[in-house]
Amino acid sequence: MAGLELLSDQGYRVDGRRAGELRKIQARMGVFAQADGSAYIEQGNTKALAVVYGPHEIRGSRARALPDRALVNCQYSSATFSTGERKRRPHGDRKSCEMGLQLRQTFEAAILTQLHPRSQIDIYVQADGGTYAACVNAATLAVLDAGIPMRDFVCACSAGFVDGTALADLSHVEEAAGGPQLALALLPASGQIALLEMDARLHEDHLERVLEAAAQAARDVHTLLDRVVRQHVREASILLGD
Amino acid sequence: MLKSKTFLKKTRAGGVMKIVREHYLRDDIGCGAPGCAACGGAHEGPALEPQPQDPASSVCPQPHYLLPDTNVLLHQIDVLEDPAIRNVIVLQTVLQEVRNRSAPVYKRIRDVTNNQEKHFYTFTNEHHRETYVEQEQGENANDRNDRAIRVAAKWYNEHLKKMSADNQLQVIFITNDRRNKEKAIEEGIPAFTCEEYVKSLTANPELIDRLACLSEEGNEIESGKIIFSEHLPLSKLQQGIKSGTYLQGTFRASRENYLEATVWIHGDNEENKEIILQGLKHLNRAVHEDIVAVELLPKSQWVAPSSVVLHDEGQNEEDVEKEEETERMLKTAVSEKMLKPTGRVVGIIKRNWRPYCGMLSKSDIKESRRHLFTPADKRIPRIRIETRQASTLEGRRIIVAIDGWPRNSRYPNGHFVRNLGDVGEKETETEVLLLEHDVPHQPFSQAVLSFLPKMPWSITEKDMKNREDLRHLCICSVDPPGCTDIDDALHCRELENGNLEVGVHIADVSHFIRPGNALDQESARRGTTVYLCEKRIDMVPELLSSNLCSLKCDVDRLAFSCIWEMNHNAEILKTKFTKSVINSKASLTYAEAQLRIDSANMNDDITTSLRGLNKLAKILKKRRIEKGALTLSSPEVRFHMDSETHDPIDLQTKELRETNSMVEEFMLLANISVAKKIHEEFSEHALLRKHPAPPPSNYEILVKAARSRNLEIKTDTAKSLAESLDQAESPTFPYLNTLLRILATRCMMQAVYFCSGMDNDFHHYGLASPIYTHFTSPIRRYADVIVHRLLAVAIGADCTYPELTDKHKLADICKNLNFRHKMAQYAQRASVAFHTQLFFKSKGIVSEEAYILFVRKNAIVVLIPKYGLEGTVFFEEKDKPNPQLIYDDEIPSLKIEDTVFHVFDKVKVKIMLDSSNLQHQKIRMSLVEPQIPGISIPTDTSNMDLNGPKKKKMKLGK
């Protein structure tokens, strides 16, 4: 009868979180041996897998090579079983292409591409019930795993807006309810924004608050990812026997 | 802060889809009891009292909190809202169920929860680590929720015990479900039914009356006979409506006849728009305003609407048979063509019950606890309630809510809600009037008042930003006497280039009412200030309406100014809008302003300014009328109130002076200028006002009436109507023109607010303007506040906000405003009617001259110019031989015996107060002149006051 109440009077969301709280995040690095770098992340029910190849020589047409920096090539695909309706093709549709493009913009901003002129870095991301944020976070870990120099972590998070309150890290239910949704990729150390995307209309006055909520959430993600990376390095160094 | 693990899996059938959702369980949700060490006060907002000092309950003497289940909340909300009930824990499970089942109850419970004094606490049990329960196999959702509620109740009891050893605090589970209660007691939770608990509150016996009677055992009195056929279930109704066997519509009971009703069918189909229902059984327990499903009867059973007036007077429940007889009586022989589609109610789609005002009709049996309640609205059936305080409630106005209508009961069952006061008392009657017209009139809440500026208030540097200083201008305001909410002021001065500068300055209310806060929401809800005869129900708190926003003289006030440069022919050369600061030099009444203009020896700045304005206004008015604006008229009266008792001592019709029209002209001009500006800037979401042209058929009555006086009224355009009204003069009958204008007013449509993006017809018929809005009274109309905000954004003086540019939200606001304005009008009329009654009560019986406004089949409607009072003179009375009446629809005229009555005929009537029905006192009029034997009462005006009461008795005795 009545629509879903996204935020209760007591300040709890549908799944029991408060407005600024993230979903549960679990991440692992180095999940694939054959790739140069790889990572797996779970944010709530969203699961993403990222692999990185490179830097290596340009494959295919040489003409694509850039004289002063590396080419970042991103591809996004989602598992056919990951969404409500089963998809025919895992990649190559409009949505995947757009996502790939956005990822590329994000990482061109973060990777020190000028260190590797005339070369190519490939990032392949797969996500279940994918969101941009999970992909970026997974890819960051994978790029770090590959040892490619970056300016900083890239941490992404989404944010929405309900009844005058900004909600961080939207779940599927909250996304499906419509309303504005903002995706933010942040370089946490400098506070620079690598990518900001928004669909639906949001009034100018609210933008700042939503942005702040997303940024705070991205900083929280950073703390978590940082912990994962340190853990991974510690494990790796133990394995190497130092 | 975040401890979460469990996942909740839900499977939805129909197309195989597995939905996985996360459900976080937390350990930081407080129990709501202050001083609880375990929770560390981890709760915000309203909380429970540490040691509830509840009224002593005989079943549970120690201090306790209440924990009601869903059904208790849904049905006994009236009890829970009582100030005696405090410290209630509302579980999230319960709240969600209420939300899904009934939006109004959900809103009420939220209001109660927000009330600090009630100490209601919402416990988010579904997300608490220890009170979350998972649905078990084979358990349905309802049982799971019941279990969740019991688990929470149990947790609470254990949790409170942990708080301190000697703690006596208990949580009492309230449920009306017997099985649920048994289970709870098994699990060691103290549980009671709502009835048990309320009856145990020995200190508050009056609460028992407010219990909704839903006892499953059934009421013993209405034993045997089933009167009504069963309502079909909703699924069947929907099927039937889809296939066309049933029709869905709004049930409208008849005011005159309790055994008759019409159903307005929803949708656009032309035939069967209106279906008649006749007889108790066919009405089948539907109540006015319900949405019902009806089935058409075969043509052989169709009936015509009866013209008989019938009121439900039976006290006895058993005389259903007698009722059937009356029903048969209704079906008198009527011609074939009069028959209308007739149907019967098969089911109720949605009940639209609300609490009703009315009076108790005490049962004849002295000790009886069951009484019938007669609502003030005649369209609502009488309601049976159970009360022990019948003798105190007798002669009082009370509020009653309906609980249900069983099949074997002649009347619906209800419960007592509130006592308003004595009948006839001014306060009580005003309260009834406001309640029945749904006028929000509670004092402003603390939350609303907190947004008022702090006193002493003065204009700061910040206020001056984007504001022009116009304090040097000679501005004055002209208003009716005694006006404290002055929202407009004017000025006029000659510029160096010989042109005139005219300014309209409107109180800058939007400066004080910021969008979205509680103050804004409350004024948006109220929509308009309601002026009753002795009382004003403000839209904004008094500090603003009568002080900070009121443009009083000799103080600095913030204003929104509209300034034109005009030449001496009143042609606008330039228009400028600006926020400003003004200092009014004089607050004049219409009469004072008129005096200044007229007296030759006054030549100060204010007077020259007024003269300039007056001159321009005349030109403006002339031009407006040339364009076809209508000058209509309605009889308006003012009461002279006794300053001590506030009783009306005299009535007087409103006088119109030149200055009235002067102010009006400039307000119209400002409104039109602003409308143009905001529509230019916001083509999709400007708030405008339109007045649709009435359909030609509306004018029939006016044209016919004029023809009977050998006058012709053209109605094809507004202009021709205005012209023909101007020419309709009769040298021997000067009042005729006013009467015609009054009639013309009755033909008009309602003017409405709308959002420019949702409509494409902007025309204002009455003012003959292509575009119009309301800008000039922001203190008393919310529409003007929105227009102010739009204009402020348009000139860059203020920032925009999201809701302002959302046309759907704006359309919602318009809908509310239109409703509130209509209701305010009705309330005003009802208040005038009530005061007229008071006036004639003190005055006794009076004979006055009157004019016939309408002629009906068995009556004439007359207007008494002296009092602006309209009334009906009936020629048929119950226990008198009916005179011979011949009605002619074409002229229209009514011939009684040998006298013929036409519209506009002058008659003399006697006015008196008829208080035979306490609930509906009314003014009764009877004919004095022309004399018709057996109908009119003899003229005997001399020492009437002496004979007054006696005569009344005589008349009643006849």
Side-chain angles (χ1 to χ4, degrees):
Chain A
M1 199 168 107
L4 204 59
E5 189 181 36
L6 290 178
L7 189 71
S8 76
D9 286 342
Q10 291 72 44
Y12 297 109
R13 288 154 72 172
V14 181
D15 52 11
R17 289 182 289 154
R18 286 184 196 277
E21 287 172 352
L22 296 176
R23 289 173 293 170
K24 193 167 111 157
I25 295 184
Q26 279 184 319
R28 256 186 313 149
M29 291 169 75
V31 286
F32 273 139
Q34 87 193 81
D36 291 320
S38 60
Y40 172 75
I41 195 166
E42 278 186 17
Q43 278 184 271
N45 283 331
T46 307
K47 301 173 175 76
L49 183 67
V51 286
V52 172
Y53 296 95
H56 55 75
E57 273 188 39
I58 299 275
R59 296 214 182 98
S61 159
R62 297 256 154 207
R64 291 199 303 156
L66 302 167
D68 56 341
R69 56 199 163 94
L71 179 80
V72 179
N73 179 30
C74 291
Q75 193 181 331
Y76 165 86
S77 58
S78 62
T80 51
F81 51 82
S82 66
T83 45
E85 277 166 47
R86 208 159 263 257
K87 286 213 290 192
R88 289 268 166 70
R89 284 197 302 177
H91 56 83
D93 58 346
R94 262 183 90 103
K95 215 180 135 203
S96 304
C97 288
E98 193 191 339
M99 187 72 96
L101 202 68
Q102 285 174 358
L103 284 171
R104 192 173 124 188
Q105 285 173 356
T106 312
F107 282 94
E108 275 181 350
I111 297 176
L112 297 168
T113 45
Q114 61 274 30
L115 295 181
H116 310 282
R118 295 173 194 285
S119 51
Q120 177 178 349
I121 299 168
D122 297 329
I123 303 175
Y124 297 101
V125 196
Q126 281 198 329
D128 281 356
T131 64
Y132 168 79
C135 292
V136 171
N137 296 334
T140 303
L141 292 180
V143 171
L144 286 169
D145 188 37
I148 297 170
M150 288 174 83
R151 285 193 179 85
D152 193 359
F153 279 74
V154 194
C155 296
C157 199
S158 59
F161 189 74
V162 172
D163 296 337
T165 316
L167 304 182
D169 194 17
L170 298 184
S171 70
H172 178 71
V173 191
E174 287 160 346
E175 268 179 27
Q181 183 191 343
L182 179 126
L184 169 81
L186 190 76
L187 306 179
S190 58
Q192 279 178 312
I193 292 172
L195 186 111
L196 180 67
E197 198 220 0
M198 186 162 73
D199 34 18
R201 276 161 48 123
L202 179 71
H203 195 270
E204 202 184 327
D205 294 0
H206 298 320
L207 181 65
E208 208 160 317
R209 273 156 60 205
V210 180
L211 203 58
E212 184 43 46
Q216 183 53 45
R219 280 192 285 275
D220 293 344
V221 171
H222 174 242
T223 342
L224 284 164
L225 295 189
D226 192 56
R227 201 183 301 157
V228 171
V229 172
R230 283 176 203 283
Q231 175 79 20
H232 179 73
V233 173
R234 205 174 304 132
E235 278 168 16
S237 57
I238 291 168
L239 280 180
L240 288 171
D242 300 335
Chain B
M1 66 180 212
L2 178 97
K3 273 216 179 155
S4 61
K5 249 145 228 149
T6 325
F7 288 99
L8 186 74
K9 280 183 187 175
K10 284 185 191 164
T11 332
R12 228 188 252 167
V16 186
M17 187 139 81
K18 190 168 173 186
I19 289 174
V20 184
R21 276 182 199 163
E22 287 181 300
H23 191 93
Y24 290 90
L25 300 185
R26 331 177 50 108
D27 55 5
D28 65 343
I29 299 175
C31 65
C36 168
C39 307
H43 39 69
E44 304 122 30
L48 306 162
E49 283 176 295
Q51 284 297 324
Q53 296 300 323
D54 264 349
S57 161
S58 55
V59 293
C60 180
Q62 58 271 72
H64 53 269
Y65 300 139
L66 299 179
L67 196 151
D69 79 350
T70 314
N71 282 321
V72 171
L73 217 60
L74 276 175
H75 301 306
Q76 310 291 4
I77 180 81
D78 280 326
V79 174
L80 293 172
E81 276 179 345
D82 191 277
I85 302 280
R86 279 177 291 134
N87 294 301
V88 175
I89 297 160
V90 183
L91 296 181
Q92 182 197 14
T93 317
V94 173
L95 203 62
Q96 287 302 332
E97 277 191 302
V98 169
R99 184 169 181 267
N100 289 332
R101 301 238 318 251
S102 164
V105 175
Y106 179 67
K107 189 180 171 296
R108 282 166 77 180
I109 198 72
R110 272 181 64 163
D111 288 347
V112 174
T113 313
N114 289 334
N115 183 351
Q116 300 276 353
E117 275 148 38
K118 294 281 286 172
H119 296 285
F120 273 47
Y121 178 72
T122 313
F123 179 62
T124 313
N125 64 318
E126 293 284 347
H127 290 290
H128 194 281
R129 205 169 49 174
E130 286 163 52
T131 56
Y132 172 69
V133 296
E134 218 158 335
Q135 193 161 355
E136 278 165 5
Q137 205 128 44
E139 187 182 42
N140 66 26
N142 261 332
D143 289 343
R144 183 227 161 248
N145 286 343
D146 284 347
R147 192 158 61 86
I149 295 169
R150 286 197 307 272
V151 168
K154 196 170 178 183
W155 175 84
Y156 250 106
N157 273 324
E158 282 162 13
H159 180 82
L160 291 177
K161 234 171 246 154
K162 261 189 271 170
M163 215 164 96
S164 64
D166 57 321
N167 204 335
Q168 294 282 309
L169 263 178
Q170 258 193 336
V171 168
I172 295 184
F173 180 44
I174 306 279
T175 178
N176 282 340
D177 183 2
R178 206 182 312 136
R179 246 190 22 211
N180 204 355
K181 187 186 150 196
E182 277 162 18
K183 275 191 189 164
I185 291 176
E186 244 168 66
E187 291 167 30
I189 309 162
F192 298 104
T193 65
C194 194
E195 217 175 323
E196 282 169 349
Y197 180 76
V198 171
K199 281 189 180 155
S200 77
L201 297 175
T202 39
N204 298 69
E206 76 281 357
L207 267 183
I208 299 168
D209 290 347
R210 299 179 69 164
L211 272 175
C213 38
L214 292 158
S215 46
E216 287 163 48
E217 299 92 86
N219 291 329
E220 56 282 3
I221 287 188
E222 350 153 321
S223 48
K225 220 164 139 197
I226 284 173
I227 306 172
F228 299 103
S229 54
E230 195 153 12
H231 286 155
L232 296 177
L234 198 60
S235 55
K236 257 196 190 151
L237 292 180
Q238 272 159 350
Q239 235 171 35
I241 289 165
K242 223 176 220 172
S243 65
T245 42
Y246 302 145
L247 296 163
Q248 178 179 342
T250 314
F251 183 88
R252 304 202 151 271
S254 152
R255 254 180 236 277
E256 269 97 41
N257 186 341
Y258 73 101
L259 291 174
E260 194 174 274
T262 48
V263 171
W264 290 86
I265 301 305
H266 299 171
D268 304 322
N269 65 330
E270 283 302 308
E271 49 167 357
N272 299 345
K273 217 37 214 158
E274 193 186 331
I275 293 177
I276 292 185
L277 310 174
Q278 222 172 52
L280 218 48
K281 277 181 189 161
H282 288 167
L283 298 180
N284 200 357
R285 293 173 282 161
V287 177
H288 184 64
E289 297 263 279
D290 282 352
I291 300 191
V292 296
V294 288
E295 180 187 43
L296 275 181
L297 295 174
K299 267 207 173 125
S300 57
Q301 291 180 34
W302 283 14
V303 296
S306 67
S307 47
V308 188
V309 178
L310 263 185
H311 291 300
D312 189 2
E313 267 151 25
Q315 178 66 253
N316 197 345
E317 313 244 338
E318 310 300 319
D319 48 6
V320 180
E321 271 127 57
K322 209 165 122 201
E323 224 114 44
E324 274 162 16
E325 223 165 84
T326 11
E327 271 167 41
R328 237 167 281 134
M329 198 185 82
L330 287 180
K331 290 165 194 152
T332 43
V334 271
S335 59
E336 279 292 309
K337 69 169 185 188
M338 294 282 282
L339 295 180
K340 288 252 176 77
T342 308
R344 66 183 192 93
V345 172
V346 289
I348 309 280
I349 293 164
K350 187 169 177 279
R351 290 287 194 193
N352 270 329
W353 290 342
R354 58 181 175 92
Y356 301 102
C357 290
M359 284 177 71
L360 201 68
S361 335
K362 221 174 133 194
S363 168
D364 296 336
I365 310 156
K366 212 174 160 197
E367 286 79 28
S368 175
R369 298 218 312 264
R370 288 160 191 279
H371 302 275
L372 277 178
F373 160 85
T374 313
D377 190 340
K378 285 184 188 153
R379 290 169 297 193
I380 308 296
R382 300 211 276 171
I383 302 164
R384 185 183 317 105
I385 64 168
E386 200 170 309
T387 176
R388 289 149 201 259
Q389 24 175 356
S391 43
T392 45
L393 293 183
E394 207 185 3
R396 303 273 179 124
R397 294 262 184 193
I398 58 172
I399 295 182
V400 161
I402 305 186
D403 298 321
W405 198 337
R407 282 177 67 195
N408 51 7
S409 158
R410 166 73 179 75
Y411 297 110
N413 293 332
H415 65 272
F416 164 74
V417 178
R418 200 146 73 90
N419 181 352
L420 295 174
D422 280 333
V423 163
E425 284 283 309
K426 222 171 317 145
E427 288 79 44
T428 317
E429 296 299 326
T430 310
E431 178 88 13
V432 170
L433 199 143
L434 292 173
L435 280 172
E436 282 292 301
H437 292 99
D438 199 10
V439 177
H441 60 283
Q442 299 79 8
F444 288 97
S445 71
Q446 215 51 47
V448 171
L449 295 175
S450 69
F451 286 99
L452 290 177
K454 299 280 165 290
M455 292 305 278
W457 174 86
S458 63
I459 297 166
T460 60
E461 215 33 48
K462 214 175 108 208
D463 296 335
M464 288 304 293
K465 215 179 101 190
N466 293 326
R467 226 172 251 285
E468 220 169 294
D469 192 346
L470 301 179
R471 279 178 277 202
H472 57 279
L473 291 178
C474 181
I475 296 169
C476 65
S477 62
V478 185
D479 284 284
C483 177
T484 57
D485 49 350
I486 305 170
D487 38 22
D488 49 74
L490 299 155
H491 88 271
C492 170
R493 64 170 178 176
E494 197 153 339
L495 295 174
E496 280 161 16
N497 60 8
N499 287 334
L500 291 168
E501 182 193 81
V502 179
V504 167
H505 311 274
I506 307 297
D508 191 6
V509 178
S510 63
H511 177 86
F512 296 101
I513 302 184
R514 301 312 297 168
N517 66 25
L519 176 58
D520 180 47
Q521 279 164 4
E522 181 63 24
S523 24
R525 192 170 77 91
R526 296 191 176 211
T528 173
T529 295
V530 182
Y531 293 89
L532 302 182
C533 288
E534 85 292 1
K535 203 174 168 183
R536 189 177 81 194
I537 316 292
D538 277 326
M539 180 185 84
V540 296
E542 205 185 347
L543 177 67
L544 291 183
S545 68
S546 313
N547 190 358
L548 296 187
C549 287
S550 181
L551 303 177
K552 296 190 288 189
C553 58
D554 300 322
V555 278
D556 289 351
R557 287 285 175 256
L558 301 180
F560 209 142
S561 303
C562 172
I563 297 167
W564 301 281
E565 188 178 330
M566 289 185 183
N567 60 19
H568 286 270
N569 282 327
E571 279 155 358
I572 298 171
L573 305 172
K574 247 188 249 163
T575 312
K576 189 177 90 178
F577 304 102
T578 177
K579 291 224 171 184
S580 59
V581 184
I582 62 160
N583 189 327
S584 169
K585 300 288 178 285
S587 307
L588 306 173
T589 64
Y590 290 121
E592 281 167 7
Q594 190 66 49
L595 221 64
R596 273 174 185 261
I597 292 172
D598 293 342
S599 64
N601 49 8
M602 286 187 83
N603 276 315
D604 55 302
D605 276 354
I606 297 173
T607 312
T608 33
S609 174
L610 283 173
R611 286 200 187 117
L613 288 169
N614 198 24
K615 203 183 94 199
L616 290 173
K618 277 183 190 158
I619 306 172
L620 285 170
K621 183 167 188 184
K622 192 164 149 255
R623 199 175 301 148
R624 208 162 53 82
I625 286 170
E626 270 166 19
K627 268 202 241 155
L630 298 173
T631 336
L632 299 173
S633 160
S634 58
E636 276 189 87
V637 284
R638 275 187 90 83
F639 285 94
H640 282 277
M641 297 283 183
D642 188 304
S643 55
E644 294 280 308
T645 58
H646 294 288
D647 281 331
I649 41 181
D650 199 6
L651 289 139
Q652 160 187 62
T653 42
K654 264 188 193 165
E655 255 181 279
L656 285 181
R657 293 193 179 77
E658 236 176 21
T659 41
N660 288 51
S661 106
M662 173 187 95
V663 174
E664 191 192 335
E665 270 328 303
F666 284 105
M667 294 306 129
L668 292 178
L669 195 64
N671 284 339
I672 292 169
S673 295
V674 171
K676 276 184 198 149
K677 176 79 183 170
I678 59 172
H679 182 246
E680 214 170 81
E681 203 77 14
F682 302 98
S683 57
E684 280 292 293
H685 26 71
L687 193 156
L688 302 175
R689 190 170 172 84
K690 68 171 176 182
H691 183 205
S697 60
N698 275 21
Y699 285 125
E700 241 168 60
I701 194 159
L702 174 70
V703 175
K704 273 185 195 166
R707 202 177 295 144
S708 69
R709 292 274 153 179
N710 296 325
L711 293 169
E712 197 192 1
I713 300 284
K714 290 198 204 89
T715 57
D716 38 345
T717 61
K719 190 168 158 58
S720 60
L721 174 65
E723 275 169 6
S724 48
L725 275 177
D726 285 342
Q727 284 156 12
E729 296 266 2
S730 158
T732 53
F733 189 6
Y735 198 65
L736 178 66
N737 193 272
T738 318
L739 283 172
L740 280 171
R741 286 182 201 275
I742 291 171
L743 269 190
T745 318
R746 305 280 161 96
C747 306
M748 293 296 152
M749 308 279 283
Q750 273 278 337
V752 288
Y753 295 110
F754 69 103
C755 168
S756 62
M758 310 289 266
D759 208 324
N760 42 24
D761 172 31
F762 295 179
H763 196 76
H764 197 292
Y765 180 81
L767 297 173
S769 168
I771 190 164
Y772 192 67
T773 192
H774 270 164
F775 168 73
T776 51
S777 300
I779 302 179
R780 58 187 177 88
R781 289 188 305 231
Y782 188 73
D784 303 52
V785 177
I786 295 279
V787 170
H788 273 230
R789 287 180 186 159
L790 286 167
L791 186 64
V793 173
I795 62 168
D798 205 344
C799 58
T800 169
Y801 62 101
E803 283 76 29
L804 194 65
T805 50
D806 185 332
K807 66 178 178 183
H808 297 285
K809 288 239 171 77
L810 211 55
D812 287 345
I813 292 177
C814 289
K815 210 171 126 200
N816 180 44
L817 289 179
N818 289 331
F819 171 74
R820 293 290 178 205
H821 274 269
K822 200 169 74 191
M823 280 312 172
Q825 247 173 23
Y826 291 163
Q828 251 149 289
R829 271 183 226 160
S831 172
V832 170
F834 173 66
H835 279 85
T836 317
Q837 285 169 17
L838 280 186
F839 174 68
F840 284 108
K841 197 175 181 179
S842 60
K843 194 127 195 200
I845 301 168
V846 197
S847 288
E848 283 300 338
E849 275 182 5
Y851 296 100
I852 300 178
L853 263 191
F854 303 104
V855 176
R856 302 251 186 265
K857 264 186 198 147
N858 61 350
I860 51 173
V861 180
V862 296
L863 177 84
I864 301 163
K866 187 175 170 193
Y867 301 122
L869 179 69
E870 202 179 309
T872 312
V873 181
F874 290 99
F875 294 119
E876 279 171 338
E877 264 175 81
K878 250 189 204 164
D879 15 280
K880 272 199 198 171
N882 283 350
Q884 189 195 2
L885 302 175
I886 301 160
Y887 176 69
D888 188 344
D889 188 36
E890 274 311 301
I891 303 188
S893 71
L894 181 69
K895 192 174 176 195
I896 306 167
E897 305 288 332
D898 293 322
T899 324
V900 186
F901 290 97
H902 289 106
V903 175
F904 302 141
D905 278 354
K906 195 171 175 180
V907 292
K908 204 162 194 184
V909 293
K910 185 164 276 190
I911 312 159
M912 62 181 105
L913 187 69
D914 178 3
S915 36
S916 54
N917 182 347
L918 255 183
Q919 177 136 259
H920 300 280
Q921 296 195 348
K922 56 187 174 225
I923 302 279
R924 189 137 111 204
M925 296 191 185
S926 34
L927 198 64
V928 177
E929 254 178 34
Q931 284 194 16
I932 305 171
I935 290 170
S936 59
I937 29 183
T939 23
D940 181 64
T941 36
S942 62
N943 56 28
M944 179 192 69
D945 285 326
L946 281 173
N947 294 344
K950 211 193 261 172
K951 206 173 266 168
K952 198 168 164 192
K953 254 183 226 152
M954 257 169 59
K955 195 171 169 352
L956 289 174
K958 256 187 217 173

